[in-house]
Amino acid sequence: MEASALMSAQEPTPAQPALSEQEMEALDNFLMSDATSSEVMMLDQLDGFFTALASGPSLPEQDAWMPRVWGPSASDAPKFSNDAQQETITDLLTRHLNATVWSMNQELESFEPIFDLNVYEGDEHEYMDGENWAHGYMTGIALQRNNWKKLLEARHAAEVLRPLYLLGSPDITEEEEALIETPAQREALSKTIPASVAAIYKYWAPQRRAADNANGDAEDMPKNISRNAPCPCGSGRKFKKCCGAGKNEA
């Protein structure tokens, strides 16, 4: 299959399976190689970045997300040894994104992020650490910040985004930094990330469906939802107490 076909895919098909362990290792090795800059996303950060794209309001085109993988500036673009290597790496990245989209759509409740596992001297416990992953997720939000505005301004945004913000934002306060100082604190927050991602994915699901079905002006919430029904955003609250707060009765 040509790379151009992979670029335009919105969801994986049987012809586009998730990366094998060998393919994941090959991608990891390239990201860590001298062909990339010091600003390139490592595998865990890349996984968080792709998850933000897959769980957000819309999936951007490849020419929007690909450059950000390599770094924040054009000078961070990788130095491929030849066209074949560029095609291979592009294929691996696109398939990993597509597989993430599929996982969000089909296996949301069992979704497993790629987190670091760290061991510290004098402590036998192996700590889960989603800090780099969360940084990737927050980078994905920043890439389409205007599109995320409605969620960022929603009443429950701070609650839903809390672990992602605390672990992944570069702009936290000193008081907030105290909440992620220890490996145990970071592990506890990391364990809550899948639930936050699921809630975010559900929040944007109506808008993604509307865009897919109508390819026109999309609303991010159904117009005829009962105010006493569970909120479609996945917060667990009634619609009238969540995203429907302040809206008139249908």
Side-chain angles (χ1 to χ4, degrees):
M1 182 175 290
E2 295 182 357
S4 59
L6 290 168
M7 286 161 41
S8 63
Q10 297 298 301
E11 293 185 6
T13 69
Q16 299 172 303
L19 301 190
S20 65
E21 290 186 10
Q22 288 182 326
E23 289 174 324
M24 194 71 80
E25 183 177 358
L27 177 58
D28 191 26
N29 288 339
F30 180 80
L31 295 174
M32 293 190 298
S33 73
D34 292 338
T36 61
S37 78
S38 60
E39 299 295 329
V40 69
M41 293 183 180
M42 292 294 100
L43 198 58
D44 54 349
Q45 186 178 349
L46 177 70
D47 191 63
F49 178 65
F50 280 173
T51 302
L53 304 186
S55 61
S58 61
L59 193 63
E61 296 295 329
Q62 187 193 69
D63 60 1
W65 62 259
M66 180 73 78
R68 191 60 189 85
V69 171
W70 311 125
S73 68
S75 63
D76 294 316
K79 298 176 176 61
F80 294 106
S81 58
N82 50 51
D83 290 343
Q85 184 186 50
Q86 181 174 2
E87 183 177 353
T88 296
I89 297 302
T90 298
D91 178 22
L92 294 177
L93 287 168
T94 306
R95 282 175 50 207
H96 187 35
L97 173 57
N98 286 341
T100 304
V101 172
W102 185 92
S103 181
M104 293 280 96
N105 186 42
Q106 301 294 329
E107 302 175 343
L108 182 61
E109 302 307 325
S110 59
F111 174 72
E112 294 184 3
I114 300 177
F115 288 157
D116 277 339
L117 293 174
N118 299 324
V119 177
Y120 299 87
E121 185 176 358
D123 190 342
E124 296 182 354
H125 183 74
E126 189 175 51
Y127 290 94
M128 178 190 300
D129 193 333
E131 188 168 9
N132 287 336
W133 193 97
H135 180 65
Y137 196 97
M138 295 301 292
T139 302
I141 293 178
L143 185 71
Q144 297 182 293
R145 192 169 188 86
N146 287 340
N147 292 349
W148 282 74
K149 186 176 180 181
K150 191 171 184 65
L151 173 60
L152 298 177
E153 294 177 351
R155 291 190 175 193
H156 65 291
E159 177 184 345
V160 171
L161 293 170
R162 183 174 184 270
L164 298 162
Y165 167 76
L166 288 176
L167 290 170
S169 174
D171 301 320
I172 62 175
T173 65
E174 291 186 7
E175 291 78 8
E176 290 169 333
E177 286 181 357
L179 301 176
I180 59 171
E181 284 182 342
T182 70
Q185 287 175 313
R186 293 193 295 275
E187 179 177 73
L189 281 170
S190 299
K191 288 180 177 179
T192 68
I193 284 178
S196 288
V197 170
I200 292 169
Y201 180 85
K202 292 174 182 177
Y203 178 91
W204 292 118
Q207 177 163 319
R208 287 193 301 270
R209 284 196 298 269
D212 290 341
N213 294 334
N215 193 28
D217 293 334
E219 297 291 337
D220 64 342
M221 286 292 164
K223 294 181 178 179
N224 60 347
I225 185 171
S226 168
R227 288 174 58 78
N228 288 315
C231 189
C233 75
S235 67
R237 299 182 178 90
K238 290 184 178 180
F239 180 63
K240 67 182 181 182
K241 294 292 187 180
C242 191
C243 298
K247 296 181 181 293
N248 295 327
E249 292 284 354

